[in-house]
Amino acid sequence: MKENSRRGFMGKAFGAVAGVGAIGSLVAMKKTWDPLPSVKAAGFTTLDMSIYQEGVMVTEKWRGKPIFVLKQTAEMLANAKKNPKDIERLVEVDGSHYMVCIGLCTHLGCIPAFREAKNDFKCACHGGEFTASGNVQKVPPPRGFDIPPFKIDGGKLVLGEVGPEWQSMKDNGVTL
Amino acid sequence: MAHFTKATSVKDWLNQRLAVEKLEKVMASEYWIPKNINFLWAMGMVLVITFVLLLVSGIFLLMYYVPTTAEAFNSVNYTIMREVDFGWLWRHVHGVAASVVFLIIYIHMFTGIYYGSYKKGREMIWISGMLLFVAFSAEAFSGYMLPWGQMSYWAGMVITNLFSGGSLHADGLVEWIRGDYVPAQAFLGRFFMLHVLLIPVAILGLIGLHFGALRIPHVNNQDGEEIDFDAEAKKYLDGDKAGSKVMRFANDFMSKDMMVVGVYLVFFFYLVFYNYGFAMDPVNFDPADGLKTPTHIYPEWYFLWSYEILRPFNIDLGLILFAFAQVIFVLLPFLDRSPNAIPANRRGKAFAIWFWLMLANMIVLTAMGKLPPAGIFSQIGLVSAILFVVQWIALPFITAREKKV
Ligand code: HEM
Ligand code: FES
C-alpha cells in the first residue's frame, strides 16, 4: 500500500514534468512554423497611381501576391455608380477611380484573367467570375476580391499600411 | 542470467540470441493463408514492392535535389534529368510508382469492399488501411511540391487555401502552414521535410499496424467463409495438406504472390521506359510563377474524384462535402449494418447495386474532374457528386434491411 502510493506519487510527478515539457515543445514547434520576421518586414509596396491608363489592367506584386490595378473608364465608373456595392470598392486618388485588389480568386486562390472584351475577370480553376470593380458575378467565389490594406499618400498608394479609407472599407464589410 | 551454450552452428548461435527459427515460423512458415483466394489478394504485396521502389528511387533523387525555391526546379529538370547518369531512371521510377501506387491502392480497397474484408474482426485492418491512404495522399502531395514548377506552386496555393475553412477565414492558419503569405522558401523547406522524413516514417509505422491488424483475423477469402485457423493449421501440420483449408505464407503462398508481382513489374517498367508521360504533367515543366496561374489547375488523376466533389458547390458546402468524401470510407465498417461478410454480389440486389454504382460513379467523378468546369460536364459532375453523398447516406439503411444469407 505504502509502496503503491509512493509509485503513484512518482507517476504523477513525472506526468507533471512531462506535461510542462510537452506544452513547451508544442509552443516552440508552433512558433518555428510562424512566418519569419524578414518575411513580415518585406510587406510594403508603393504604387505611383499616375502611370495607369484607363481600362488597362495592370498586375503589381505585394507580399508575393498579384495586385490587380484597373483605372476605371468613364463607362465602368458609370456602371459602378449604379450599384453601391460596386462604387464602395473603388479607391479614389487625385480624382480618378481605381479598382485595387488582391488578384487571387477568393474561392481557392487561382489568378483570374481579365477579359478585355467583356471588362470582367474569369477564374479558370472552377469557373468563378468577377466584375470590373471586383465583385462576384458567378460562384463559386464567396465574395469579391479582397482589397489589400492601403494608405493614400498624395498621388501614391502604399500597400501594407492601413489608411483611413481602407479602415472604413474594412469596418463597413467591403473587404476582409 | 539466461543460460547460453557453445553454439553448434551459426544458426544455433543466432537462435540462442535472437530466436530466429521461432521468428521465421511466426512471421512466415506458420503464418496461415486460406487457399481459397485469388490474385486480388496479391495487391498487398504489390503495394509493398511499389513502396520499396519509391523508397529506393527517392534515396537516389535525394542526393541531388536542392530544396530551395531558386534551385529546386533546375536541380530536378537539369541536374537529375540531364547531368546525373541514370538520373532520369530514378525520376521516372519515382513518378510512375507514385501514380501507379494509387491505382493499386484503389484496387486493393475495392477488393476489400467487394469481399467484405472490413467486417467481423477485420475493422482495424480497414482503418489502418485508410490511414495509409491518407498518409500516401499527403506523401504524394508534398512530393508534388518539390520540383517547384507551375503545378507545384498552384496546387500548393489551392490546397493550403482549403485550410482557411471557407467563410471561417482562417487566413492566419493558412499563413502559418506556409510560413509566408504565399508558398515560398519556408513552404518548400517544410514540405521537403515532410516528404522525405516525417510522412515516410509514419507510413512505415502504419504498414506495421496494418500487418499487425491482419494477424489475428487473418486475410479473408473468396467466399467470406469463417475459417478456424488453429484447427486448419493443425490439420496441415499433421500431414493432411490437401484437406486443410490453409497453407503456409512462405514459401507456398509467397510464390503465388511473387508471380503476380513479376507480372506487375513487367507492366511497371514498361511504363517507366516507354510510357512515363502520364505521370509527368507538362505544365510542371514551367518554373513556378506566383503571378501567373495555369489555365487549368487540376490535381493528379488519383485526387480527381474528391476534387470533383468540391468543385460544383459554393465554397462552404464544397469544403464540407470534400471533407465528407475524405473521411467517409474510414467509417465503412460501421456504416455497413448487414450481418453478411460475403462477396457483394451474393448479399442481395441492393448492396450489389450500391457497390458497382459506387465504383462506376468514382470513375465518372474522376473523368469529370479532369475536364474543364463548363457546360454539360459541370452538370454531370454535380449529379455524380450528389449521388456519391446520397449513396453513403443510404448505406446504413440499405444494409440494415439486408437478410442474413
Ligand atoms: C501502400 C499501402 C498499403 C500496403 C503496403 C498494404 C499492404 C497489405 C498487405 C500485404 C495485405 C495482405 C495481403 C492482401 O490481402 O492483399 C493487406 C490486406 C488488406 N489491406 Fe492493405 N495495404 C495498403 C493500403 C491499404 C488501404 C489504403 C486499404 C483500404 C482501406 C487497405 C485495406 C486492406 C484490407 C481490408 C486488407 C485485408 C484483405 C483481406 O482480408 O482479404 N490497405 N494490405
Ligand atoms: S479558385 Fe477561382 S473559382 Fe475556384
Side-chain angles (χ1 to χ4, degrees), chain B residues 39-318:
Chain B
F39 78 99
L40 289 168
W41 271 266
M43 293 307 141
M45 188 58 85
V46 170
L47 284 170
V48 171
I49 300 294
T50 312
F51 183 62
V52 171
L53 285 166
L54 283 165
L55 211 59
V56 172
S57 54
I59 287 171
F60 282 88
L61 291 173
L62 190 50
M63 288 184 252
Y64 289 97
Y65 174 76
V66 185
T68 62
T69 50
E71 291 191 65
F73 185 82
N74 279 333
S75 73
V76 174
N77 288 297
Y78 183 73
T79 312
I80 292 174
M81 289 302 283
R82 311 250 185 112
E83 284 194 305
V84 178
D85 236 2
F86 284 98
W88 58 269
L89 177 66
W90 307 120
R91 185 167 191 220
H92 287 176
V93 166
H94 207 71
V96 170
S99 190
V100 170
V101 82
F102 282 92
L103 177 65
I104 310 293
I105 289 179
Y106 286 136
I107 296 175
H108 191 61
M109 270 174 76
F110 273 89
T111 304
I113 303 180
Y114 182 82
Y115 289 107
S117 306
Y118 50 91
K119 307 181 68 164
K120 289 210 178 143
R122 295 198 176 87
E123 293 83 354
M124 276 313 299
I125 310 178
W126 179 261
I127 292 169
S128 59
M130 280 316 294
L131 292 177
L132 273 170
F133 177 71
V134 172
F136 266 84
S137 303
E139 181 67 0
F141 172 73
S142 57
Y144 202 54
M145 299 300 105
L146 302 186
W148 210 241
Q150 270 293 67
M151 272 297 181
S152 306
Y153 184 93
W154 287 101
M157 180 77 109
V158 170
I159 298 295
T160 46
N161 266 342
L162 291 178
F163 289 90
S164 71
S167 301
L168 297 178
H169 296 304
D171 296 331
L173 176 63
V174 174
E175 279 162 22
W176 181 72
I177 292 172
R178 293 178 185 157
D180 203 329
Y181 303 107
V182 288
Q185 183 56 48
F187 175 90
L188 182 59
R190 61 191 58 175
F191 277 83
F192 172 67
M193 176 282 291
L194 290 173
H195 187 72
V196 304
L197 183 70
L198 195 56
I199 304 174
V201 168
I203 287 177
L204 286 171
L206 286 170
I207 292 178
L209 177 63
H210 198 56
F211 289 3
L214 271 161
R215 276 233 72 98
I216 298 171
H218 289 81
V219 299
N220 196 7
N221 55 75
Q222 285 192 86
D223 297 313
E225 182 190 350
E226 226 177 284
I227 295 176
D228 181 342
F229 280 87
D230 292 332
E232 296 299 327
K234 186 162 180 318
K235 218 191 243 178
Y236 187 101
L237 291 172
D238 288 347
D240 186 10
K241 293 190 187 178
S244 172
K245 287 179 180 164
V246 299
M247 61 174 162
R248 299 177 190 278
F249 170 66
N251 297 323
D252 309 359
F253 178 66
M254 267 269 272
S255 61
K256 269 177 140 181
D257 249 5
M258 283 312 184
M259 177 70 206
V260 178
V261 168
V263 173
Y264 164 74
L265 285 178
V266 170
F267 163 72
F268 179 84
F269 280 98
Y270 157 75
L271 292 178
V272 168
F273 292 125
Y274 302 107
N275 242 319
Y276 49 84
F278 74 95
M280 311 255 152
D281 197 298
V283 181
N284 221 20
F285 286 90
D286 292 326
D289 181 351
L291 295 186
K292 203 172 111 220
T293 341
T295 27
H296 294 303
I297 298 187
Y298 42 79
E300 290 289 275
W301 71 268
Y302 39 85
F303 292 141
L304 286 171
W305 67 271
S306 52
Y307 180 70
E308 184 58 24
I309 289 173
L310 169 86
R311 209 161 61 159
F313 304 101
N314 77 37
I315 182 152
D316 291 321
L317 185 59

Side-chain angles (χ1 to χ4, degrees), chain A residues 105 107-110 123 125-128 140:
Chain A
C105 183
H107 183 224
L108 289 174
C110 295
C123 180
C125 288
H126 316 97

